Amino acid sequence: MSVHHGESAIRPEPDKVLKEIADYVHNYQVTSELALETARLCLIDTIGCGLEALRFPECTRLLGPVVEGTIVPNGTRVPGTNYQLDPIRGAFNIGTIIRWLDFNDCFLAAEWGHPSDNLGAILAVADHLARRGQPLRVSDLLESMVKAHEIQGGLALLNSFNRVGLDHVVLVKVASTAVVSKLLGLTHAQTINAVSQAWVDGQSLRTYRHAPNTGPRKSWAAGDACSRAVNLALLVKKGEIGLPSVLTAKQWGFYDVLFKGKEFQFQMPYGTYIMENVLFKISYPAEFHAQTAVEAALIVHERLRTMGKSSDDIKSVRIRTQEAAIRIIDKQGPLDNFADRDHAINYMVAYPLIFGELTSNSYTDEAAADPRIDSLRAKIHCVEDQVFSVDYHDPAKRSIGNALLVELNDGTVLDEVVVEYPIGHRTRREEGTPLLIEKFKRHISRHFNEAHQKKILETVSDKKNLPNLAVDRFTDLFVKP
């Protein structure tokens, strides 16, 4: 007969990863002017992306309170709507519209993701608290965004959650929980508890981003993560305890259960690197690994036009790309829905080759019904370029290269078009910023009259006074009367 002495009930010290996140959130001072200016651009771009998503009924039908007609006193206001919601539901609403069109910012490393997704939680909590009288300013939003970007991106640099089948929104949940804990007034110890709750929470499987299950859940997954983050932080504020060894506990912890026994690795301490190097989606609402491929396709489209030819004259297209693109967006066969199409590189290349543009409307069922698209898709194939794959992970480069080689039916082979850095890359920030502002102008123009558009632009462009603006007054700029 074997003797079992039982598991030790002595609660250990919190895992190092938890403590380092809490230390960063509570003690780090954001002084980088580059990070804060990039955060300002990120803030207005992210809200603009949310406003643009409201044009699509597939998105708007998911919004609003759980019980129709509910109005919460001092509730979170949702940009572009007249909803006034509790901060948990507000986080879902804001997070969902931000992410719906795959047009907000991006950071690519061992794990992929969209750090501005965290604004769903940050703005929901900050706006609610401001309406209750707390003196929160836009500067608090910007600092929270920098820190959420850094936590999500720092965890993503060397740790691939996708390789164990988990979706990157786990990092949104963790980062959002951390920064809203501070906004809610949680102590350092309570923040550790809240972040531990985020890690133990059920994590999303990545299958909704991949064939054959690609679907619209990928567009509201970040909203779900934001709402869960706010809920967990509020539970800890009410006294819920944490799980100190949530990551390292043998057999039952995150590492053993979900990460194949591996501990997280870190490339650098938390600072402001991620925000300073974030990638903006400026010209095309397309999965980021295809951004440079779309740019190359538009160049080819123009070349064909000047030659008096069109996409009908194309025999084959080779896309030289990074390993990540092949794993995520290289798809063959029928594409079932909007979410399927904006995550298929051959669709995102075929469409601009044919039409000379790629917009949010390019992924609708109506747009996809043109038979020329699938005909051209069948002529497109991808190959991995090892140099592109290496440079993709190089901290000094972070390139997202694609190259198109097009052969025509008459045997002509066009010069290969190579684009290594998208317009939203840090190395092209000076070129991209004016275009980012134009993108924002387009997004607000569909919701507000010219006078109000002018007021919004003047407010967000005032770099001196914007940080001092009360959060609720900032949000009021974007809500419906």
Side-chain angles (χ1 to χ4, degrees):
M1 180 181 297
S2 63
V3 178
H4 188 263
H5 297 288
E7 296 176 321
S8 172
I10 298 174
R11 292 176 75 82
E13 286 294 308
D15 288 332
K16 181 181 178 183
V17 170
L18 306 180
K19 290 192 290 186
E20 288 180 345
I21 290 174
D23 288 346
Y24 173 66
V25 167
H26 283 273
N27 302 326
Y28 188 87
Q29 299 297 314
V30 179
T31 59
S32 166
E33 292 185 7
L34 174 60
L36 291 170
E37 169 58 11
T38 307
R40 181 187 70 87
L41 294 173
C42 183
L43 174 63
I44 63 177
D45 177 59
T46 305
I47 289 178
C49 291
L51 293 172
E52 179 70 359
L54 295 173
R55 296 197 300 116
F56 295 83
E58 297 86 352
C59 175
T60 57
R61 69 188 180 197
L62 303 179
L63 306 180
V66 173
V67 178
E68 189 174 352
T70 301
I71 299 175
V72 177
N74 301 314
T76 295
R77 303 303 300 269
V78 179
T81 78
N82 57 9
Y83 295 134
Q84 191 169 319
L85 308 173
D86 70 82
I88 298 172
R89 187 63 185 168
F92 177 85
N93 276 239
I94 299 172
T96 294
I97 64 175
I98 284 170
R99 190 76 202 99
W100 192 264
L101 294 175
D102 204 353
F103 213 179
N104 59 321
D105 74 2
C106 189
F107 188 79
L108 308 175
E111 185 54 58
W112 319 298
H114 309 271
S116 61
D117 290 349
N118 293 287
L119 186 62
I122 294 167
L123 185 58
V125 169
D127 186 63
H128 172 60
L129 294 176
R131 293 180 193 282
R132 294 183 62 188
Q134 292 195 27
L136 290 172
R137 308 293 178 194
V138 171
S139 58
D140 297 301
L141 295 179
L142 300 180
E143 179 179 326
S144 296
M145 291 175 68
V146 171
K147 291 184 175 180
H149 271 62
E150 191 71 8
I151 294 168
Q152 179 173 348
L155 285 161
L157 282 170
L158 298 178
N159 305 296
S160 178
F161 295 81
N162 62 81
R163 289 191 180 276
V164 295
L166 298 179
D167 192 39
H168 53 70
V169 296
V170 59
L171 302 183
V172 175
K173 191 189 309 181
V174 169
S176 286
T177 300
V179 295
V180 302
S181 291
K182 185 182 180 187
L183 289 173
L184 288 166
L186 272 62
T187 65
H188 182 280
Q190 287 176 311
T191 299
I192 289 176
N193 290 342
V195 173
S196 76
Q197 290 287 351
W199 282 117
V200 81
D201 206 40
Q203 310 305 346
S204 299
L205 300 181
R206 197 179 160 82
T207 188
Y208 52 71
R209 297 189 190 275
H210 293 272
N213 293 315
T214 312
R217 179 167 180 144
K218 76 178 184 62
S219 300
W220 56 262
D224 180 60
C226 288
S227 68
R228 296 187 72 82
V230 176
N231 187 42
L232 293 171
L234 287 170
L235 288 174
V236 172
K237 186 177 176 67
K238 290 183 176 182
E240 183 66 20
I241 66 171
L243 306 96
S245 60
V246 62
L247 297 173
T248 60
K250 295 302 180 186
Q251 186 177 355
W252 309 117
F254 187 96
Y255 291 152
D256 278 2
V257 175
L258 295 173
F259 220 60
K260 297 186 176 180
K262 297 179 181 178
E263 295 189 1
F264 296 150
Q265 302 297 313
F266 293 89
Q267 194 170 70
M268 62 186 72
Y270 295 123
T272 56
Y273 175 84
I274 306 301
M275 181 62 83
E276 291 171 356
N277 289 275
V278 78
L279 301 161
F280 287 115
K281 291 187 178 181
I282 294 178
S283 301
Y284 325 110
E287 203 282 337
F288 215 98
H289 295 89
Q291 289 278 316
T292 51
V294 175
E295 187 172 343
L298 289 167
I299 293 171
V300 173
H301 173 85
E302 182 59 22
R303 284 186 184 175
L304 290 173
R305 190 188 65 80
T306 59
M307 295 169 64
K309 296 183 180 296
S310 72
S311 59
D312 293 337
D313 296 295
I314 293 176
K315 178 181 179 182
S316 68
V317 180
R318 186 195 71 187
I319 304 174
R320 192 157 52 88
T321 190
Q322 342 90 36
E323 183 265 350
I326 290 176
R327 291 186 59 224
I328 306 169
I329 54 176
D330 186 15
K331 300 177 183 178
Q332 301 297 325
L335 300 173
D336 186 60
N337 53 62
F338 190 114
D340 224 358
R341 297 173 195 124
D342 76 3
H343 269 55
I345 192 169
N346 56 19
Y347 189 97
M348 292 181 277
V349 166
Y351 200 96
L353 283 174
I354 297 168
F355 299 103
E357 66 173 11
L358 187 70
T359 70
S360 298
N361 291 323
S362 305
Y363 303 112
T364 63
D365 290 345
E366 293 78 11
D370 191 313
R372 292 177 295 172
I373 300 173
D374 281 347
S375 176
L376 183 53
R377 285 182 59 224
K379 302 175 183 179
I380 298 173
H381 70 281
C382 293
V383 296
E384 180 188 353
D385 184 297
Q386 292 289 339
V387 175
F388 283 170
S389 295
V390 170
D391 289 350
Y392 173 90
H393 291 287
D394 187 337
K397 293 183 177 180
R398 297 283 175 203
S399 68
I400 311 98
N402 278 286
L404 265 61
L405 184 67
V406 176
E407 182 180 0
L408 304 182
N409 292 325
D410 63 7
T412 302
V413 178
L414 304 183
D415 290 342
E416 187 179 46
V417 178
V418 182
V419 183
E420 291 192 63
Y421 296 95
I423 189 70
H425 195 276
R426 178 180 176 177
T427 59
R428 298 176 68 180
R429 194 76 83 219
E430 184 176 348
E431 175 188 2
T433 297
L435 299 176
L436 191 73
I437 299 302
E438 289 302 315
K439 172 189 171 187
F440 178 69
K441 289 179 180 178
R442 289 195 304 274
H443 289 168
I444 64 173
S445 69
R446 300 184 176 107
H447 294 270
F448 307 106
N449 61 38
E450 289 188 9
H452 195 69
Q453 290 176 51
K454 184 173 183 291
K455 181 180 179 181
I456 290 173
L457 290 169
E458 288 176 348
T459 302
V460 301
S461 300
D462 187 349
K463 298 180 185 181
K464 179 180 179 182
N465 294 311
L466 177 64
N468 297 319
L469 183 66
V471 170
D472 54 333
R473 288 185 57 199
F474 174 77
T475 309
D476 283 343
L477 288 169
F478 299 99
V479 300
K480 281 187 175 180

Short mmCIF file of all heavy atoms in Angstrom, two decimals, residues 193-235:
data_model
loop_
_atom_site.label_atom_id
_atom_site.label_comp_id
_atom_site.label_asym_id
_atom_site.label_seq_id
_atom_site.Cartn_x
_atom_site.Cartn_y
_atom_site.Cartn_z
N ASN A 193 -2.94 39.87 -7.76
CA ASN A 193 -4.07 38.95 -7.67
C ASN A 193 -4.93 39.00 -8.94
O ASN A 193 -5.35 37.96 -9.46
CB ASN A 193 -4.94 39.30 -6.47
CG ASN A 193 -4.27 38.99 -5.14
OD1 ASN A 193 -3.30 38.23 -5.09
ND2 ASN A 193 -4.76 39.57 -4.06
N ALA A 194 -5.18 40.20 -9.43
CA ALA A 194 -6.03 40.34 -10.62
C ALA A 194 -5.36 39.72 -11.84
O ALA A 194 -6.01 39.02 -12.63
CB ALA A 194 -6.33 41.83 -10.86
N VAL A 195 -4.07 39.98 -12.01
CA VAL A 195 -3.35 39.42 -13.16
C VAL A 195 -3.32 37.90 -13.07
O VAL A 195 -3.44 37.19 -14.09
CB VAL A 195 -1.93 40.02 -13.26
CG1 VAL A 195 -1.12 39.32 -14.34
CG2 VAL A 195 -2.01 41.51 -13.55
N SER A 196 -3.19 37.37 -11.87
CA SER A 196 -3.21 35.90 -11.72
C SER A 196 -4.57 35.35 -12.14
O SER A 196 -4.65 34.27 -12.74
CB SER A 196 -2.90 35.51 -10.28
OG SER A 196 -4.00 35.73 -9.41
N GLN A 197 -5.64 36.08 -11.85
CA GLN A 197 -6.96 35.65 -12.28
C GLN A 197 -7.09 35.64 -13.80
O GLN A 197 -7.77 34.79 -14.38
CB GLN A 197 -8.03 36.56 -11.66
CG GLN A 197 -8.22 36.41 -10.16
CD GLN A 197 -8.93 35.12 -9.79
OE1 GLN A 197 -9.45 34.40 -10.65
NE2 GLN A 197 -8.95 34.80 -8.50
N ALA A 198 -6.42 36.59 -14.44
CA ALA A 198 -6.45 36.62 -15.91
C ALA A 198 -5.76 35.40 -16.51
O ALA A 198 -6.22 34.85 -17.52
CB ALA A 198 -5.79 37.91 -16.43
N TRP A 199 -4.68 34.97 -15.89
CA TRP A 199 -3.95 33.80 -16.41
C TRP A 199 -4.73 32.52 -16.19
O TRP A 199 -4.66 31.59 -17.00
CB TRP A 199 -2.58 33.70 -15.76
CG TRP A 199 -1.55 34.63 -16.30
CD1 TRP A 199 -0.90 35.63 -15.61
CD2 TRP A 199 -1.03 34.67 -17.63
NE1 TRP A 199 -0.03 36.29 -16.44
CE2 TRP A 199 -0.08 35.73 -17.69
CE3 TRP A 199 -1.27 33.93 -18.80
CZ2 TRP A 199 0.62 36.05 -18.85
CZ3 TRP A 199 -0.58 34.25 -19.95
CH2 TRP A 199 0.36 35.29 -19.97
N VAL A 200 -5.48 32.41 -15.08
CA VAL A 200 -6.20 31.16 -14.78
C VAL A 200 -7.52 31.09 -15.53
O VAL A 200 -8.11 30.02 -15.67
CB VAL A 200 -6.44 31.01 -13.26
CG1 VAL A 200 -7.64 31.82 -12.78
CG2 VAL A 200 -6.59 29.55 -12.86
N ASP A 201 -7.98 32.22 -16.04
CA ASP A 201 -9.25 32.29 -16.75
C ASP A 201 -9.19 31.41 -18.00
O ASP A 201 -8.13 31.25 -18.62
CB ASP A 201 -9.51 33.74 -17.15
CG ASP A 201 -10.98 34.05 -17.32
OD1 ASP A 201 -11.78 33.56 -16.51
OD2 ASP A 201 -11.32 34.80 -18.24
N GLY A 202 -10.31 30.86 -18.41
CA GLY A 202 -10.33 30.03 -19.61
C GLY A 202 -9.83 30.79 -20.83
O GLY A 202 -10.30 31.89 -21.11
N GLN A 203 -8.89 30.22 -21.56
CA GLN A 203 -8.26 30.95 -22.67
C GLN A 203 -8.86 30.50 -24.01
O GLN A 203 -9.20 29.35 -24.21
CB GLN A 203 -6.74 30.73 -22.66
CG GLN A 203 -6.08 30.97 -21.32
CD GLN A 203 -6.36 32.34 -20.72
OE1 GLN A 203 -6.84 33.24 -21.38
NE2 GLN A 203 -6.03 32.51 -19.44
N SER A 204 -8.95 31.46 -24.94
CA SER A 204 -9.57 31.22 -26.24
C SER A 204 -8.68 30.36 -27.15
O SER A 204 -7.47 30.60 -27.23
CB SER A 204 -9.85 32.55 -26.93
OG SER A 204 -10.74 33.33 -26.17
N LEU A 205 -9.29 29.41 -27.83
CA LEU A 205 -8.58 28.63 -28.83
C LEU A 205 -8.48 29.43 -30.13
O LEU A 205 -9.42 30.12 -30.52
CB LEU A 205 -9.32 27.32 -29.10
CG LEU A 205 -9.52 26.38 -27.91
CD1 LEU A 205 -10.25 25.12 -28.37
CD2 LEU A 205 -8.18 26.02 -27.28
N ARG A 206 -7.38 29.27 -30.80
CA ARG A 206 -7.12 30.07 -31.99
C ARG A 206 -7.86 29.57 -33.23
O ARG A 206 -7.82 30.20 -34.29
CB ARG A 206 -5.60 30.07 -32.26
CG ARG A 206 -5.17 31.16 -33.20
CD ARG A 206 -3.70 31.20 -33.47
NE ARG A 206 -3.49 31.94 -34.69
CZ ARG A 206 -3.44 33.25 -34.77
NH1 ARG A 206 -3.56 33.98 -33.68
NH2 ARG A 206 -3.28 33.85 -35.93
N THR A 207 -8.59 28.51 -33.12
CA THR A 207 -9.19 27.90 -34.30
C THR A 207 -10.14 28.82 -35.05
O THR A 207 -10.34 28.67 -36.25
CB THR A 207 -9.92 26.59 -33.92
OG1 THR A 207 -10.33 25.92 -35.10
CG2 THR A 207 -11.11 26.85 -33.01
N TYR A 208 -10.71 29.83 -34.36
CA TYR A 208 -11.62 30.73 -35.08
C TYR A 208 -10.89 31.68 -36.02
O TYR A 208 -11.54 32.45 -36.73
CB TYR A 208 -12.52 31.51 -34.11
CG TYR A 208 -11.83 32.25 -32.98
CD1 TYR A 208 -11.06 33.39 -33.20
CD2 TYR A 208 -11.99 31.82 -31.67
CE1 TYR A 208 -10.46 34.07 -32.16
CE2 TYR A 208 -11.40 32.49 -30.61
CZ TYR A 208 -10.63 33.62 -30.86
OH TYR A 208 -10.04 34.29 -29.81
N ARG A 209 -9.58 31.63 -36.05
CA ARG A 209 -8.81 32.45 -37.00
C ARG A 209 -8.29 31.62 -38.18
O ARG A 209 -7.63 32.17 -39.07
CB ARG A 209 -7.63 33.13 -36.30
CG ARG A 209 -8.04 34.09 -35.22
CD ARG A 209 -6.87 34.91 -34.70
NE ARG A 209 -7.26 35.64 -33.50
CZ ARG A 209 -7.86 36.82 -33.52
NH1 ARG A 209 -8.13 37.41 -34.66
NH2 ARG A 209 -8.19 37.43 -32.38
N HIS A 210 -8.52 30.33 -38.17
CA HIS A 210 -7.90 29.45 -39.17
C HIS A 210 -8.95 28.61 -39.89
O HIS A 210 -9.98 28.25 -39.32
CB HIS A 210 -6.88 28.53 -38.50
CG HIS A 210 -5.69 29.24 -37.95
ND1 HIS A 210 -4.56 29.49 -38.70
CD2 HIS A 210 -5.45 29.79 -36.73
CE1 HIS A 210 -3.68 30.15 -37.96
NE2 HIS A 210 -4.20 30.35 -36.77
N ALA A 211 -8.62 28.30 -41.15
CA ALA A 211 -9.46 27.37 -41.91
C ALA A 211 -9.47 26.02 -41.19
O ALA A 211 -8.45 25.61 -40.62
CB ALA A 211 -8.92 27.23 -43.32
N PRO A 212 -10.61 25.32 -41.16
CA PRO A 212 -11.88 25.66 -41.82
C PRO A 212 -12.87 26.36 -40.91
O PRO A 212 -14.06 26.43 -41.24
CB PRO A 212 -12.42 24.28 -42.22
CG PRO A 212 -12.01 23.41 -41.05
CD PRO A 212 -10.65 23.93 -40.61
N ASN A 213 -12.42 26.89 -39.77
CA ASN A 213 -13.35 27.47 -38.79
C ASN A 213 -13.31 28.99 -38.72
O ASN A 213 -13.89 29.58 -37.80
CB ASN A 213 -13.05 26.92 -37.39
CG ASN A 213 -13.34 25.44 -37.27
OD1 ASN A 213 -14.38 24.98 -37.73
ND2 ASN A 213 -12.42 24.69 -36.69
N THR A 214 -12.63 29.65 -39.65
CA THR A 214 -12.52 31.10 -39.58
C THR A 214 -13.91 31.74 -39.58
O THR A 214 -14.75 31.43 -40.42
CB THR A 214 -11.74 31.64 -40.78
OG1 THR A 214 -10.55 30.88 -40.95
CG2 THR A 214 -11.39 33.11 -40.56
N GLY A 215 -14.12 32.64 -38.63
CA GLY A 215 -15.42 33.27 -38.54
C GLY A 215 -15.38 34.55 -37.74
O GLY A 215 -14.32 34.97 -37.26
N PRO A 216 -16.52 35.20 -37.58
CA PRO A 216 -16.56 36.54 -36.98
C PRO A 216 -16.19 36.58 -35.50
O PRO A 216 -15.98 37.66 -34.97
CB PRO A 216 -18.00 37.00 -37.20
CG PRO A 216 -18.79 35.75 -37.46
CD PRO A 216 -17.85 34.81 -38.13
N ARG A 217 -16.09 35.43 -34.84
CA ARG A 217 -15.65 35.49 -33.44
C ARG A 217 -14.29 36.17 -33.33
O ARG A 217 -14.00 36.83 -32.33
CB ARG A 217 -15.60 34.11 -32.80
CG ARG A 217 -15.11 34.20 -31.35
CD ARG A 217 -15.31 32.97 -30.53
NE ARG A 217 -14.80 33.20 -29.17
CZ ARG A 217 -15.34 32.72 -28.06
NH1 ARG A 217 -16.42 31.98 -28.14
NH2 ARG A 217 -14.80 32.99 -26.89
N LYS A 218 -13.45 36.01 -34.33
CA LYS A 218 -12.14 36.65 -34.26
C LYS A 218 -12.27 38.17 -34.18
O LYS A 218 -11.35 38.85 -33.72
CB LYS A 218 -11.27 36.26 -35.46
CG LYS A 218 -11.60 36.92 -36.78
CD LYS A 218 -10.64 36.49 -37.87
CE LYS A 218 -10.89 37.22 -39.18
NZ LYS A 218 -10.70 38.67 -39.09
N SER A 219 -13.41 38.70 -34.60
CA SER A 219 -13.61 40.15 -34.59
C SER A 219 -14.15 40.66 -33.26
O SER A 219 -14.06 41.85 -32.99
CB SER A 219 -14.57 40.54 -35.72
OG SER A 219 -14.04 40.18 -36.98
N TRP A 220 -14.73 39.77 -32.44
CA TRP A 220 -15.18 40.22 -31.12
C TRP A 220 -14.42 39.55 -29.97
O TRP A 220 -14.71 39.79 -28.79
CB TRP A 220 -16.68 40.04 -30.94
CG TRP A 220 -17.29 38.69 -31.13
CD1 TRP A 220 -17.92 38.22 -32.25
CD2 TRP A 220 -17.40 37.62 -30.16
NE1 TRP A 220 -18.39 36.94 -32.04
CE2 TRP A 220 -18.10 36.55 -30.76
CE3 TRP A 220 -16.98 37.47 -28.83
CZ2 TRP A 220 -18.37 35.36 -30.11
CZ3 TRP A 220 -17.25 36.28 -28.17
CH2 TRP A 220 -17.93 35.24 -28.81
N ALA A 221 -13.42 38.74 -30.31
CA ALA A 221 -12.64 38.06 -29.28
C ALA A 221 -11.91 39.04 -28.37
O ALA A 221 -11.82 38.83 -27.15
CB ALA A 221 -11.64 37.10 -29.92
N ALA A 222 -11.40 40.12 -28.95
CA ALA A 222 -10.69 41.11 -28.12
C ALA A 222 -11.67 41.85 -27.22
O ALA A 222 -11.36 42.18 -26.07
CB ALA A 222 -9.95 42.10 -29.01
N GLY A 223 -12.88 42.13 -27.72
CA GLY A 223 -13.90 42.74 -26.88
C GLY A 223 -14.24 41.86 -25.69
O GLY A 223 -14.41 42.33 -24.56
N ASP A 224 -14.32 40.57 -25.94
CA ASP A 224 -14.57 39.61 -24.87
C ASP A 224 -13.43 39.63 -23.85
O ASP A 224 -13.66 39.63 -22.63
CB ASP A 224 -14.73 38.21 -25.47
CG ASP A 224 -15.00 37.15 -24.43
OD1 ASP A 224 -16.02 37.25 -23.73
OD2 ASP A 224 -14.19 36.20 -24.32
N ALA A 225 -12.20 39.66 -24.34
CA ALA A 225 -11.04 39.70 -23.44
C ALA A 225 -11.05 40.97 -22.60
O ALA A 225 -10.73 40.94 -21.40
CB ALA A 225 -9.75 39.59 -24.25
N CYS A 226 -11.39 42.10 -23.22
CA CYS A 226 -11.45 43.37 -22.48
C CYS A 226 -12.50 43.31 -21.38
O CYS A 226 -12.27 43.77 -20.25
CB CYS A 226 -11.77 44.52 -23.44
SG CYS A 226 -10.42 44.99 -24.54
N SER A 227 -13.68 42.77 -21.70
CA SER A 227 -14.75 42.72 -20.70
C SER A 227 -14.38 41.80 -19.55
O SER A 227 -14.66 42.10 -18.39
CB SER A 227 -16.06 42.27 -21.35
OG SER A 227 -16.01 40.93 -21.78
N ARG A 228 -13.73 40.69 -19.85
CA ARG A 228 -13.32 39.77 -18.79
C ARG A 228 -12.24 40.40 -17.92
O ARG A 228 -12.21 40.20 -16.70
CB ARG A 228 -12.84 38.45 -19.39
CG ARG A 228 -13.94 37.70 -20.14
CD ARG A 228 -13.50 36.32 -20.60
NE ARG A 228 -13.39 35.41 -19.47
CZ ARG A 228 -14.41 34.75 -18.91
NH1 ARG A 228 -15.63 34.95 -19.37
NH2 ARG A 228 -14.21 33.92 -17.92
N ALA A 229 -11.36 41.18 -18.53
CA ALA A 229 -10.32 41.86 -17.76
C ALA A 229 -10.93 42.82 -16.75
O ALA A 229 -10.55 42.86 -15.57
CB ALA A 229 -9.39 42.61 -18.70
N VAL A 230 -11.90 43.61 -17.19
CA VAL A 230 -12.55 44.57 -16.30
C VAL A 230 -13.29 43.83 -15.19
O VAL A 230 -13.22 44.20 -14.01
CB VAL A 230 -13.51 45.49 -17.08
CG1 VAL A 230 -14.26 46.42 -16.13
CG2 VAL A 230 -12.74 46.29 -18.12
N ASN A 231 -13.99 42.76 -15.55
CA ASN A 231 -14.73 41.99 -14.55
C ASN A 231 -13.79 41.42 -13.49
O ASN A 231 -14.07 41.49 -12.28
CB ASN A 231 -15.49 40.86 -15.24
CG ASN A 231 -16.41 40.11 -14.30
OD1 ASN A 231 -17.09 40.71 -13.47
ND2 ASN A 231 -16.42 38.79 -14.40
N LEU A 232 -12.68 40.85 -13.91
CA LEU A 232 -11.73 40.25 -12.96
C LEU A 232 -11.14 41.30 -12.03
O LEU A 232 -11.01 41.08 -10.81
CB LEU A 232 -10.63 39.51 -13.72
CG LEU A 232 -11.07 38.27 -14.49
CD1 LEU A 232 -9.95 37.77 -15.38
CD2 LEU A 232 -11.55 37.17 -13.54
N ALA A 233 -10.78 42.46 -12.57
CA ALA A 233 -10.23 43.52 -11.73
C ALA A 233 -11.26 44.01 -10.71
O ALA A 233 -10.93 44.27 -9.55
CB ALA A 233 -9.75 44.68 -12.61
N LEU A 234 -12.51 44.11 -11.13
CA LEU A 234 -13.56 44.54 -10.20
C LEU A 234 -13.82 43.49 -9.12
O LEU A 234 -14.09 43.84 -7.96
CB LEU A 234 -14.85 44.83 -10.98
CG LEU A 234 -14.84 46.11 -11.81
CD1 LEU A 234 -16.06 46.17 -12.73
CD2 LEU A 234 -14.79 47.35 -10.92
N LEU A 235 -13.73 42.21 -9.47
CA LEU A 235 -13.89 41.16 -8.47
C LEU A 235 -12.79 41.24 -7.41
O LEU A 235 -13.05 41.09 -6.20
CB LEU A 235 -13.88 39.79 -9.14
CG LEU A 235 -15.11 39.42 -9.96
CD1 LEU A 235 -14.88 38.09 -10.69
CD2 LEU A 235 -16.36 39.34 -9.10
#
